[in-house]
Amino acid sequence: MPRSWLTEIFLLLGALLSALLLSALYWALGLVPIALFVAWHGYNLQRLCQVLADSDADVPQGIGLWGDALELIYRNRRQMDRRLQKLKRRVRRFEESSAALPEGAVALNGSGEIEWLNGAAAELLGLEMSRDIGQRITNVVRSTAFISYFEAAERPRGVEFGSPDDDRRVLYCQMVTYRKNRSILVIRDVSETRRLAEMRRDFIANASHELRTPLTVIKGFLENMDMARGQFPETWHRPLESMRQQADRMLTIITDMLSLARLESRGDAVRAAPVDVVALLRESVESAQGLGGDRYDVELTADEAWLLGDEQTLRSIVTNLVQNAVVHNPSGVSIQVAWRRRPDGSADLKVRDNGQGIAPEHLDRLTERFYRVDAGRSRAAGGTGLGLAIVKHALSRYGSHLEVESEIGHGSTFSCRFPAEHVIEPLRRSA
Ligand code: ADP
């Protein structure tokens, strides 16, 4: 039996025995030890209540079962203190490490109010911890791009917006949702990356531009020489022809690189003019038929819908897709070009062929610059490897993207959807 129980029994027996002895002297005296025993318990109960009510109060010592109870409370408290200290150390370490992060982090509750933020977030977003904790994020970050990203039902991966404090700074924010509706915003300064990308784009655009003029001159001379080939010795004919072809190729690559650089540059926004898509498609189908020497069956089905956009970018989308269906497929293939209006006001463009198809491992990479499934064949067909990259960038200006479905031996379908805000009624009937 535990010692505390023995003490308890000993005390009880002591009280009863002394009550018995004292009652032999005078009956009422027998009540005194019992009363003292009960009072002692009452006193201990009151001490216990005090200790439980005030977690900072010292835990007194006691004897018997009261001693055990107080000892247990003392031990539990020490254990909890140790846990609390450990937890505090962890929280401190977490706060220190997140404060040292170069990326900004903001924790939001379910109502979009700031619960916590690190130093980088405060600096990037121009916030102050003491002032802005508890504020709704959209009240303190007023960028329209950020607000529409934050409030969108289906969010893209991230959003870029100008820093509220310094408009030369570009921020990229990604929102991660956890535990139903709590979320964390991760904010990065991408100004340097953007600046480098812009420098690269400018370099390509300038280099292409600078190369185009001398190349046009060389091409002109080569064409003249080719026309007057009779004046040159026979051995010169093939090199001349080859030089003219290569100059043509280089000029096409440079023109494509310039188009791509122009499409990528953010400053060059879509010029919104009404464009007769059906006329563009007809032109493109005719030139594809010309390119294929009538060895391809190209069929066009089109609804009378126009687009509000830039004719040049739309022409490059249509031409690249239709010409690809011809040049990357053997003769005899049938090609269907469809321009269809949808009930929600948007419109779909589909270019489908029943040609050789593309293996699945290539599909994700087709829109990369200079990516070709068969480089040799593409070059021989006059391809630059930039066509689909141009299409991808041109489509992104309309908030659209290219989808490719293909199966080896069964052909390919290249499709894209133009959102309703770009689709308009025809201004006149296409001829
Ligand atoms: P290219 O100048 O070579 O046409 P693109 O960027 O337009 O470059 O196309 C990339 C590659 O995708 C092509 O080299 C070709 O291998 C493949 N491709 C594109 N369209 C088709 C198609 N309709 N059928 C089969 N392959 C295609």
mmCIF file of all heavy atoms in Angstrom, residues 256 320-329 351-353 355-358 365-375 377-379 381-391 404 406 411-414, ligand 1:
data_model
loop_
_atom_site.group_PDB
_atom_site.id
_atom_site.type_symbol
_atom_site.label_atom_id
_atom_site.label_comp_id
_atom_site.label_asym_id
_atom_site.label_seq_id
_atom_site.Cartn_x
_atom_site.Cartn_y
_atom_site.Cartn_z
ATOM 1 N N ASP A 256 10.917 35.727 -88.208
ATOM 2 C CA ASP A 256 10.182 35.036 -87.139
ATOM 3 C C ASP A 256 10.695 35.468 -85.760
ATOM 4 O O ASP A 256 9.913 35.652 -84.827
ATOM 5 C CB ASP A 256 10.319 33.513 -87.283
ATOM 6 C CG ASP A 256 9.282 32.959 -88.253
ATOM 7 O OD1 ASP A 256 8.515 33.768 -88.806
ATOM 8 O OD2 ASP A 256 9.253 31.727 -88.467
ATOM 9 N N ASN A 320 0.400 29.912 -89.482
ATOM 10 C CA ASN A 320 1.311 28.890 -88.954
ATOM 11 C C ASN A 320 0.611 27.557 -88.782
ATOM 12 O O ASN A 320 1.155 26.511 -89.131
ATOM 13 C CB ASN A 320 1.899 29.342 -87.607
ATOM 14 C CG ASN A 320 3.133 30.194 -87.797
ATOM 15 O OD1 ASN A 320 4.073 29.781 -88.458
ATOM 16 N ND2 ASN A 320 3.125 31.388 -87.242
ATOM 17 N N LEU A 321 -0.614 27.586 -88.251
ATOM 18 C CA LEU A 321 -1.305 26.314 -87.999
ATOM 19 C C LEU A 321 -1.680 25.614 -89.309
ATOM 20 O O LEU A 321 -1.478 24.410 -89.455
ATOM 21 C CB LEU A 321 -2.563 26.546 -87.141
ATOM 22 C CG LEU A 321 -2.310 27.025 -85.708
ATOM 23 C CD1 LEU A 321 -3.623 27.198 -84.961
ATOM 24 C CD2 LEU A 321 -1.415 26.047 -84.954
ATOM 25 N N VAL A 322 -2.212 26.409 -90.267
ATOM 26 C CA VAL A 322 -2.649 25.779 -91.522
ATOM 27 C C VAL A 322 -1.433 25.297 -92.329
ATOM 28 O O VAL A 322 -1.424 24.182 -92.847
ATOM 29 C CB VAL A 322 -3.536 26.749 -92.336
ATOM 30 C CG1 VAL A 322 -3.964 26.121 -93.644
ATOM 31 C CG2 VAL A 322 -4.774 27.152 -91.530
ATOM 32 N N GLN A 323 -0.393 26.132 -92.389
ATOM 33 C CA GLN A 323 0.785 25.710 -93.171
ATOM 34 C C GLN A 323 1.474 24.500 -92.553
ATOM 35 O O GLN A 323 1.954 23.623 -93.263
ATOM 36 C CB GLN A 323 1.774 26.866 -93.270
ATOM 37 C CG GLN A 323 1.319 27.873 -94.323
ATOM 38 C CD GLN A 323 2.398 28.878 -94.668
ATOM 39 O OE1 GLN A 323 3.467 28.862 -94.097
ATOM 40 N NE2 GLN A 323 2.086 29.757 -95.602
ATOM 41 N N ASN A 324 1.504 24.440 -91.220
ATOM 42 C CA ASN A 324 2.118 23.269 -90.569
ATOM 43 C C ASN A 324 1.422 21.981 -90.986
ATOM 44 O O ASN A 324 2.057 20.962 -91.188
ATOM 45 C CB ASN A 324 2.019 23.398 -89.046
ATOM 46 C CG ASN A 324 3.195 24.156 -88.472
ATOM 47 O OD1 ASN A 324 4.128 24.491 -89.197
ATOM 48 N ND2 ASN A 324 3.154 24.440 -87.194
ATOM 49 N N ALA A 325 0.075 22.062 -91.063
ATOM 50 C CA ALA A 325 -0.683 20.852 -91.425
ATOM 51 C C ALA A 325 -0.281 20.373 -92.821
ATOM 52 O O ALA A 325 -0.306 19.180 -93.111
ATOM 53 C CB ALA A 325 -2.179 21.143 -91.364
ATOM 54 N N VAL A 326 0.129 21.323 -93.674
ATOM 55 C CA VAL A 326 0.543 20.931 -95.025
ATOM 56 C C VAL A 326 1.996 20.464 -95.019
ATOM 57 O O VAL A 326 2.292 19.346 -95.436
ATOM 58 C CB VAL A 326 0.364 22.122 -96.007
ATOM 59 C CG1 VAL A 326 0.997 21.817 -97.355
ATOM 60 C CG2 VAL A 326 -1.103 22.451 -96.165
ATOM 61 N N VAL A 327 2.891 21.313 -94.476
ATOM 62 C CA VAL A 327 4.318 20.986 -94.643
ATOM 63 C C VAL A 327 4.789 19.811 -93.794
ATOM 64 O O VAL A 327 5.775 19.179 -94.130
ATOM 65 C CB VAL A 327 5.243 22.206 -94.394
ATOM 66 C CG1 VAL A 327 5.011 23.294 -95.379
ATOM 67 C CG2 VAL A 327 5.125 22.719 -92.976
ATOM 68 N N HIS A 328 4.080 19.512 -92.709
ATOM 69 C CA HIS A 328 4.557 18.401 -91.880
ATOM 70 C C HIS A 328 3.793 17.110 -92.133
ATOM 71 O O HIS A 328 3.834 16.202 -91.309
ATOM 72 C CB HIS A 328 4.472 18.773 -90.390
ATOM 73 C CG HIS A 328 5.385 19.904 -90.039
ATOM 74 N ND1 HIS A 328 6.739 19.818 -90.192
ATOM 75 C CD2 HIS A 328 5.154 21.150 -89.592
ATOM 76 C CE1 HIS A 328 7.296 20.963 -89.831
ATOM 77 N NE2 HIS A 328 6.349 21.792 -89.472
ATOM 78 N N ASN A 329 3.082 17.063 -93.262
ATOM 79 C CA ASN A 329 2.332 15.843 -93.566
ATOM 80 C C ASN A 329 2.537 15.440 -95.017
ATOM 81 O O ASN A 329 2.769 16.284 -95.879
ATOM 82 C CB ASN A 329 0.833 16.065 -93.296
ATOM 83 C CG ASN A 329 0.549 16.017 -91.800
ATOM 84 O OD1 ASN A 329 0.904 15.052 -91.137
ATOM 85 N ND2 ASN A 329 -0.051 17.070 -91.284
ATOM 86 N N VAL A 351 -7.604 23.365 -86.280
ATOM 87 C CA VAL A 351 -6.985 22.925 -87.537
ATOM 88 C C VAL A 351 -6.640 21.447 -87.327
ATOM 89 O O VAL A 351 -5.857 21.105 -86.439
ATOM 90 C CB VAL A 351 -5.712 23.743 -87.859
ATOM 91 C CG1 VAL A 351 -5.096 23.237 -89.155
ATOM 92 C CG2 VAL A 351 -6.039 25.217 -87.961
ATOM 93 N N ARG A 352 -7.301 20.633 -88.154
ATOM 94 C CA ARG A 352 -7.193 19.192 -87.919
ATOM 95 C C ARG A 352 -6.684 18.519 -89.185
ATOM 96 O O ARG A 352 -7.099 18.859 -90.293
ATOM 97 C CB ARG A 352 -8.612 18.723 -87.609
ATOM 98 C CG ARG A 352 -8.777 17.360 -87.151
ATOM 99 C CD ARG A 352 -10.284 17.076 -87.110
ATOM 100 N NE ARG A 352 -10.459 15.645 -87.222
ATOM 101 C CZ ARG A 352 -10.322 14.826 -86.206
ATOM 102 N NH1 ARG A 352 -10.059 15.287 -85.014
ATOM 103 N NH2 ARG A 352 -10.454 13.537 -86.366
ATOM 104 N N ASP A 353 -5.742 17.593 -89.014
ATOM 105 C CA ASP A 353 -5.294 16.835 -90.197
ATOM 106 C C ASP A 353 -5.309 15.354 -89.843
ATOM 107 O O ASP A 353 -5.265 14.999 -88.663
ATOM 108 C CB ASP A 353 -3.889 17.290 -90.614
ATOM 109 C CG ASP A 353 -2.828 16.973 -89.584
ATOM 110 O OD1 ASP A 353 -2.527 15.781 -89.399
ATOM 111 O OD2 ASP A 353 -2.293 17.916 -88.945
ATOM 112 N N GLY A 355 -2.976 13.330 -90.814
ATOM 113 C CA GLY A 355 -1.644 12.951 -91.284
ATOM 114 C C GLY A 355 -0.893 12.025 -90.354
ATOM 115 O O GLY A 355 -1.487 11.200 -89.653
ATOM 116 N N GLN A 356 0.445 12.245 -90.282
ATOM 117 C CA GLN A 356 1.298 11.280 -89.575
ATOM 118 C C GLN A 356 1.201 11.343 -88.048
ATOM 119 O O GLN A 356 1.550 10.389 -87.368
ATOM 120 C CB GLN A 356 2.746 11.487 -89.986
ATOM 121 C CG GLN A 356 3.215 12.901 -89.715
ATOM 122 C CD GLN A 356 4.636 13.127 -90.208
ATOM 123 O OE1 GLN A 356 5.211 12.258 -90.843
ATOM 124 N NE2 GLN A 356 5.182 14.295 -89.918
ATOM 125 N N GLY A 357 0.719 12.447 -87.518
ATOM 126 C CA GLY A 357 0.594 12.573 -86.059
ATOM 127 C C GLY A 357 1.929 12.819 -85.373
ATOM 128 O O GLY A 357 2.983 12.747 -85.997
ATOM 129 N N ILE A 358 1.839 13.126 -84.085
ATOM 130 C CA ILE A 358 3.054 13.455 -83.318
ATOM 131 C C ILE A 358 3.071 12.569 -82.076
ATOM 132 O O ILE A 358 2.043 12.402 -81.403
ATOM 133 C CB ILE A 358 3.017 14.949 -82.882
ATOM 134 C CG1 ILE A 358 2.816 15.853 -84.097
ATOM 135 C CG2 ILE A 358 4.270 15.345 -82.129
ATOM 136 C CD1 ILE A 358 2.384 17.269 -83.757
ATOM 137 N N ARG A 365 6.357 19.986 -75.729
ATOM 138 C CA ARG A 365 7.513 20.822 -76.085
ATOM 139 C C ARG A 365 7.371 21.531 -77.426
ATOM 140 O O ARG A 365 8.253 22.300 -77.821
ATOM 141 C CB ARG A 365 8.775 19.949 -76.099
ATOM 142 C CG ARG A 365 9.001 19.259 -74.762
ATOM 143 C CD ARG A 365 10.385 18.742 -74.629
ATOM 144 N NE ARG A 365 11.373 19.803 -74.798
ATOM 145 C CZ ARG A 365 12.660 19.593 -74.974
ATOM 146 N NH1 ARG A 365 13.115 18.376 -75.014
ATOM 147 N NH2 ARG A 365 13.492 20.607 -75.107
ATOM 148 N N LEU A 366 6.235 21.274 -78.119
ATOM 149 C CA LEU A 366 6.111 21.802 -79.490
ATOM 150 C C LEU A 366 6.209 23.324 -79.572
ATOM 151 O O LEU A 366 6.667 23.864 -80.566
ATOM 152 C CB LEU A 366 4.769 21.370 -80.099
ATOM 153 C CG LEU A 366 4.646 19.896 -80.472
ATOM 154 C CD1 LEU A 366 3.289 19.633 -81.094
ATOM 155 C CD2 LEU A 366 5.749 19.475 -81.425
ATOM 156 N N THR A 367 5.755 24.022 -78.486
ATOM 157 C CA THR A 367 5.742 25.483 -78.571
ATOM 158 C C THR A 367 7.060 26.108 -78.088
ATOM 159 O O THR A 367 7.180 27.321 -78.018
ATOM 160 C CB THR A 367 4.581 26.072 -77.742
ATOM 161 O OG1 THR A 367 4.681 25.552 -76.426
ATOM 162 C CG2 THR A 367 3.228 25.732 -78.327
ATOM 163 N N GLU A 368 8.047 25.254 -77.762
ATOM 164 C CA GLU A 368 9.364 25.807 -77.401
ATOM 165 C C GLU A 368 10.046 26.315 -78.669
ATOM 166 O O GLU A 368 9.885 25.719 -79.736
ATOM 167 C CB GLU A 368 10.249 24.709 -76.803
ATOM 168 C CG GLU A 368 9.893 24.348 -75.401
ATOM 169 C CD GLU A 368 10.725 23.166 -74.907
ATOM 170 O OE1 GLU A 368 11.810 22.898 -75.443
ATOM 171 O OE2 GLU A 368 10.238 22.502 -73.976
ATOM 172 N N ARG A 369 10.846 27.370 -78.503
ATOM 173 C CA ARG A 369 11.570 27.897 -79.668
ATOM 174 C C ARG A 369 12.495 26.838 -80.248
ATOM 175 O O ARG A 369 13.200 26.184 -79.503
ATOM 176 C CB ARG A 369 12.479 29.044 -79.236
ATOM 177 C CG ARG A 369 11.812 30.323 -79.029
ATOM 178 C CD ARG A 369 12.521 30.980 -77.893
ATOM 179 N NE ARG A 369 11.521 31.467 -76.970
ATOM 180 C CZ ARG A 369 11.268 32.733 -76.792
ATOM 181 N NH1 ARG A 369 11.966 33.634 -77.432
ATOM 182 N NH2 ARG A 369 10.332 33.114 -75.986
ATOM 183 N N PHE A 370 12.490 26.719 -81.532
ATOM 184 C CA PHE A 370 13.363 25.829 -82.308
ATOM 185 C C PHE A 370 13.170 24.350 -81.980
ATOM 186 O O PHE A 370 14.029 23.544 -82.263
ATOM 187 C CB PHE A 370 14.852 26.207 -82.124
ATOM 188 C CG PHE A 370 15.168 27.586 -82.645
ATOM 189 C CD1 PHE A 370 15.529 28.616 -81.788
ATOM 190 C CD2 PHE A 370 15.080 27.860 -83.999
ATOM 191 C CE1 PHE A 370 15.797 29.891 -82.253
ATOM 192 C CE2 PHE A 370 15.352 29.141 -84.485
ATOM 193 C CZ PHE A 370 15.706 30.148 -83.617
ATOM 194 N N TYR A 371 12.046 24.011 -81.342
ATOM 195 C CA TYR A 371 11.800 22.592 -81.088
ATOM 196 C C TYR A 371 11.103 21.994 -82.307
ATOM 197 O O TYR A 371 10.090 22.481 -82.775
ATOM 198 C CB TYR A 371 10.925 22.396 -79.848
ATOM 199 C CG TYR A 371 10.817 20.930 -79.472
ATOM 200 C CD1 TYR A 371 11.791 20.341 -78.685
ATOM 201 C CD2 TYR A 371 9.784 20.133 -79.951
ATOM 202 C CE1 TYR A 371 11.734 18.982 -78.372
ATOM 203 C CE2 TYR A 371 9.726 18.780 -79.648
ATOM 204 C CZ TYR A 371 10.694 18.221 -78.848
ATOM 205 O OH TYR A 371 10.641 16.880 -78.553
ATOM 206 N N ARG A 372 11.730 20.942 -82.834
ATOM 207 C CA ARG A 372 11.102 20.252 -83.966
ATOM 208 C C ARG A 372 11.124 18.761 -83.684
ATOM 209 O O ARG A 372 12.076 18.253 -83.095
ATOM 210 C CB ARG A 372 11.899 20.463 -85.252
ATOM 211 C CG ARG A 372 11.829 21.853 -85.794
ATOM 212 C CD ARG A 372 13.217 22.334 -85.948
ATOM 213 N NE ARG A 372 13.298 23.388 -86.955
ATOM 214 C CZ ARG A 372 14.365 24.128 -87.085
ATOM 215 N NH1 ARG A 372 15.404 23.937 -86.305
ATOM 216 N NH2 ARG A 372 14.406 25.055 -88.012
ATOM 217 N N VAL A 373 10.073 18.085 -84.150
ATOM 218 C CA VAL A 373 10.032 16.637 -83.952
ATOM 219 C C VAL A 373 11.120 16.006 -84.819
ATOM 220 O O VAL A 373 11.881 15.159 -84.379
ATOM 221 C CB VAL A 373 8.638 16.081 -84.319
ATOM 222 C CG1 VAL A 373 8.615 14.569 -84.205
ATOM 223 C CG2 VAL A 373 7.586 16.712 -83.417
ATOM 224 N N ASP A 374 11.211 16.481 -86.043
ATOM 225 C CA ASP A 374 12.245 15.976 -86.944
ATOM 226 C C ASP A 374 12.919 17.197 -87.561
ATOM 227 O O ASP A 374 12.410 17.788 -88.523
ATOM 228 C CB ASP A 374 11.568 15.086 -88.008
ATOM 229 C CG ASP A 374 12.587 14.513 -88.987
ATOM 230 O OD1 ASP A 374 13.691 15.071 -89.085
ATOM 231 O OD2 ASP A 374 12.259 13.506 -89.644
ATOM 232 N N ALA A 375 14.081 17.575 -86.968
ATOM 233 C CA ALA A 375 14.724 18.833 -87.354
ATOM 234 C C ALA A 375 15.070 18.849 -88.846
ATOM 235 O O ALA A 375 14.831 19.844 -89.544
ATOM 236 C CB ALA A 375 15.962 19.061 -86.517
ATOM 237 N N ARG A 377 13.743 17.219 -91.389
ATOM 238 C CA ARG A 377 12.577 17.327 -92.271
ATOM 239 C C ARG A 377 11.963 18.736 -92.193
ATOM 240 O O ARG A 377 11.546 19.294 -93.200
ATOM 241 C CB ARG A 377 11.534 16.283 -91.904
ATOM 242 C CG ARG A 377 10.646 16.032 -93.116
ATOM 243 C CD ARG A 377 9.501 15.146 -92.874
ATOM 244 N NE ARG A 377 9.858 13.814 -92.424
ATOM 245 C CZ ARG A 377 8.937 12.977 -91.988
ATOM 246 N NH1 ARG A 377 7.695 13.341 -91.929
ATOM 247 N NH2 ARG A 377 9.268 11.773 -91.595
ATOM 248 N N SER A 378 11.951 19.288 -90.957
ATOM 249 C CA SER A 378 11.378 20.626 -90.796
ATOM 250 C C SER A 378 12.184 21.644 -91.604
ATOM 251 O O SER A 378 11.628 22.488 -92.294
ATOM 252 C CB SER A 378 11.361 21.013 -89.314
ATOM 253 O OG SER A 378 11.302 22.390 -89.170
ATOM 254 N N ARG A 379 13.543 21.533 -91.522
ATOM 255 C CA ARG A 379 14.382 22.482 -92.270
ATOM 256 C C ARG A 379 14.150 22.324 -93.763
ATOM 257 O O ARG A 379 14.018 23.297 -94.488
ATOM 258 C CB ARG A 379 15.857 22.236 -91.942
ATOM 259 C CG ARG A 379 16.247 22.967 -90.700
ATOM 260 C CD ARG A 379 17.743 23.036 -90.528
ATOM 261 N NE ARG A 379 18.003 23.189 -89.112
ATOM 262 C CZ ARG A 379 18.407 22.219 -88.313
ATOM 263 N NH1 ARG A 379 18.662 21.028 -88.792
ATOM 264 N NH2 ARG A 379 18.578 22.441 -87.029
ATOM 265 N N ALA A 381 11.566 21.427 -95.179
ATOM 266 C CA ALA A 381 10.253 21.973 -95.543
ATOM 267 C C ALA A 381 10.227 23.493 -95.387
ATOM 268 O O ALA A 381 9.181 24.117 -95.544
ATOM 269 C CB ALA A 381 9.182 21.326 -94.670
ATOM 270 N N GLY A 382 11.348 24.070 -95.014
ATOM 271 C CA GLY A 382 11.429 25.536 -94.881
ATOM 272 C C GLY A 382 10.982 26.035 -93.527
ATOM 273 O O GLY A 382 10.773 27.226 -93.334
ATOM 274 N N GLY A 383 10.843 25.120 -92.550
ATOM 275 C CA GLY A 383 10.392 25.530 -91.202
ATOM 276 C C GLY A 383 11.520 26.171 -90.408
ATOM 277 O O GLY A 383 12.696 25.842 -90.595
ATOM 278 N N THR A 384 11.144 27.084 -89.517
ATOM 279 C CA THR A 384 12.161 27.741 -88.684
ATOM 280 C C THR A 384 12.173 27.147 -87.285
ATOM 281 O O THR A 384 13.078 27.400 -86.511
ATOM 282 C CB THR A 384 11.842 29.247 -88.549
ATOM 283 O OG1 THR A 384 10.550 29.377 -87.955
ATOM 284 C CG2 THR A 384 11.867 29.946 -89.889
ATOM 285 N N GLY A 385 11.132 26.405 -86.941
ATOM 286 C CA GLY A 385 11.033 25.880 -85.575
ATOM 287 C C GLY A 385 10.486 26.932 -84.620
ATOM 288 O O GLY A 385 10.460 26.733 -83.417
ATOM 289 N N LEU A 386 10.045 28.060 -85.173
ATOM 290 C CA LEU A 386 9.534 29.144 -84.316
ATOM 291 C C LEU A 386 8.027 29.331 -84.458
ATOM 292 O O LEU A 386 7.421 30.084 -83.706
ATOM 293 C CB LEU A 386 10.233 30.468 -84.667
ATOM 294 C CG LEU A 386 11.722 30.543 -84.328
ATOM 295 C CD1 LEU A 386 12.348 31.792 -84.912
ATOM 296 C CD2 LEU A 386 11.904 30.536 -82.815
ATOM 297 N N GLY A 387 7.445 28.635 -85.445
ATOM 298 C CA GLY A 387 6.034 28.858 -85.767
ATOM 299 C C GLY A 387 5.099 28.714 -84.580
ATOM 300 O O GLY A 387 4.315 29.613 -84.268
ATOM 301 N N LEU A 388 5.196 27.570 -83.883
ATOM 302 C CA LEU A 388 4.251 27.339 -82.777
ATOM 303 C C LEU A 388 4.576 28.210 -81.560
ATOM 304 O O LEU A 388 3.686 28.524 -80.779
ATOM 305 C CB LEU A 388 4.206 25.857 -82.405
ATOM 306 C CG LEU A 388 3.603 24.945 -83.484
ATOM 307 C CD1 LEU A 388 3.567 23.494 -83.006
ATOM 308 C CD2 LEU A 388 2.192 25.394 -83.866
ATOM 309 N N ALA A 389 5.867 28.610 -81.422
ATOM 310 C CA ALA A 389 6.220 29.546 -80.330
ATOM 311 C C ALA A 389 5.532 30.882 -80.594
ATOM 312 O O ALA A 389 4.992 31.520 -79.674
ATOM 313 C CB ALA A 389 7.727 29.720 -80.254
ATOM 314 N N ILE A 390 5.511 31.279 -81.857
ATOM 315 C CA ILE A 390 4.822 32.529 -82.226
ATOM 316 C C ILE A 390 3.325 32.396 -81.943
ATOM 317 O O ILE A 390 2.702 33.285 -81.358
ATOM 318 C CB ILE A 390 5.078 32.870 -83.723
ATOM 319 C CG1 ILE A 390 6.554 33.237 -83.910
ATOM 320 C CG2 ILE A 390 4.161 33.971 -84.216
ATOM 321 C CD1 ILE A 390 6.958 33.527 -85.340
ATOM 322 N N VAL A 391 2.752 31.238 -82.321
ATOM 323 C CA VAL A 391 1.313 31.020 -82.100
ATOM 324 C C VAL A 391 1.007 31.109 -80.597
ATOM 325 O O VAL A 391 0.066 31.788 -80.179
ATOM 326 C CB VAL A 391 0.887 29.630 -82.646
ATOM 327 C CG1 VAL A 391 -0.528 29.298 -82.243
ATOM 328 C CG2 VAL A 391 1.028 29.595 -84.158
ATOM 329 N N VAL A 404 -3.037 20.849 -78.161
ATOM 330 C CA VAL A 404 -2.651 19.929 -79.237
ATOM 331 C C VAL A 404 -3.066 18.512 -78.856
ATOM 332 O O VAL A 404 -2.758 18.046 -77.769
ATOM 333 C CB VAL A 404 -1.118 19.941 -79.467
ATOM 334 C CG1 VAL A 404 -0.769 19.168 -80.738
ATOM 335 C CG2 VAL A 404 -0.573 21.348 -79.532
ATOM 336 N N SER A 406 -2.894 14.661 -80.564
ATOM 337 C CA SER A 406 -2.313 13.987 -81.713
ATOM 338 C C SER A 406 -2.098 12.514 -81.420
ATOM 339 O O SER A 406 -1.915 12.121 -80.274
ATOM 340 C CB SER A 406 -0.974 14.647 -82.056
ATOM 341 O OG SER A 406 -0.532 14.176 -83.295
ATOM 342 N N GLY A 411 -3.118 11.536 -87.122
ATOM 343 C CA GLY A 411 -3.178 12.975 -87.349
ATOM 344 C C GLY A 411 -3.189 13.811 -86.090
ATOM 345 O O GLY A 411 -3.105 13.285 -84.972
ATOM 346 N N SER A 412 -3.292 15.109 -86.291
ATOM 347 C CA SER A 412 -3.190 16.054 -85.166
ATOM 348 C C SER A 412 -4.298 17.093 -85.232
ATOM 349 O O SER A 412 -4.781 17.424 -86.308
ATOM 350 C CB SER A 412 -1.869 16.813 -85.206
ATOM 351 O OG SER A 412 -0.818 15.966 -85.560
ATOM 352 N N THR A 413 -4.687 17.590 -84.061
ATOM 353 C CA THR A 413 -5.632 18.701 -83.997
ATOM 354 C C THR A 413 -5.011 19.803 -83.151
ATOM 355 O O THR A 413 -4.626 19.570 -82.005
ATOM 356 C CB THR A 413 -6.964 18.270 -83.359
ATOM 357 O OG1 THR A 413 -7.436 17.145 -84.072
ATOM 358 C CG2 THR A 413 -7.997 19.379 -83.410
ATOM 359 N N PHE A 414 -4.889 20.976 -83.733
ATOM 360 C CA PHE A 414 -4.392 22.147 -83.009
ATOM 361 C C PHE A 414 -5.602 23.053 -82.799
ATOM 362 O O PHE A 414 -6.275 23.416 -83.760
ATOM 363 C CB PHE A 414 -3.320 22.888 -83.822
ATOM 364 C CG PHE A 414 -2.029 22.111 -83.931
ATOM 365 C CD1 PHE A 414 -1.905 21.057 -84.825
ATOM 366 C CD2 PHE A 414 -0.958 22.426 -83.116
ATOM 367 C CE1 PHE A 414 -0.723 20.324 -84.911
ATOM 368 C CE2 PHE A 414 0.227 21.710 -83.191
ATOM 369 C CZ PHE A 414 0.353 20.655 -84.096
HETATM 370 P P1 ADP B 1 8.347 24.482 -87.932
HETATM 371 O O1 ADP B 1 8.953 25.731 -88.420
HETATM 372 O O2 ADP B 1 9.292 23.340 -87.932
HETATM 373 O O3 ADP B 1 7.035 24.201 -88.535
HETATM 374 P P2 ADP B 1 6.758 24.859 -85.585
HETATM 375 O O4 ADP B 1 7.088 25.522 -84.305
HETATM 376 O O5 ADP B 1 5.673 25.447 -86.400
HETATM 377 O O6 ADP B 1 8.109 24.772 -86.375
HETATM 378 O O7 ADP B 1 6.389 23.360 -85.288
HETATM 379 C C1 ADP B 1 7.222 22.601 -84.434
HETATM 380 C C2 ADP B 1 7.218 21.143 -84.804
HETATM 381 O O8 ADP B 1 5.912 20.594 -84.557
HETATM 382 C C3 ADP B 1 7.447 20.909 -86.284
HETATM 383 O O9 ADP B 1 8.836 20.859 -86.569
HETATM 384 C C4 ADP B 1 6.787 19.578 -86.514
HETATM 385 O O10 ADP B 1 7.670 18.541 -86.166
HETATM 386 C C5 ADP B 1 5.645 19.562 -85.497
HETATM 387 N N1 ADP B 1 4.323 19.846 -86.130
HETATM 388 C C6 ADP B 1 3.687 21.029 -86.143
HETATM 389 N N2 ADP B 1 2.492 20.911 -86.756
HETATM 390 C C7 ADP B 1 2.368 19.622 -87.132
HETATM 391 C C8 ADP B 1 1.351 18.869 -87.787
HETATM 392 N N3 ADP B 1 0.190 19.414 -88.203
HETATM 393 N N4 ADP B 1 1.591 17.544 -88.000
HETATM 394 C C9 ADP B 1 2.742 16.957 -87.580
HETATM 395 N N5 ADP B 1 3.734 17.620 -86.952
HETATM 396 C C10 ADP B 1 3.554 18.944 -86.722
#
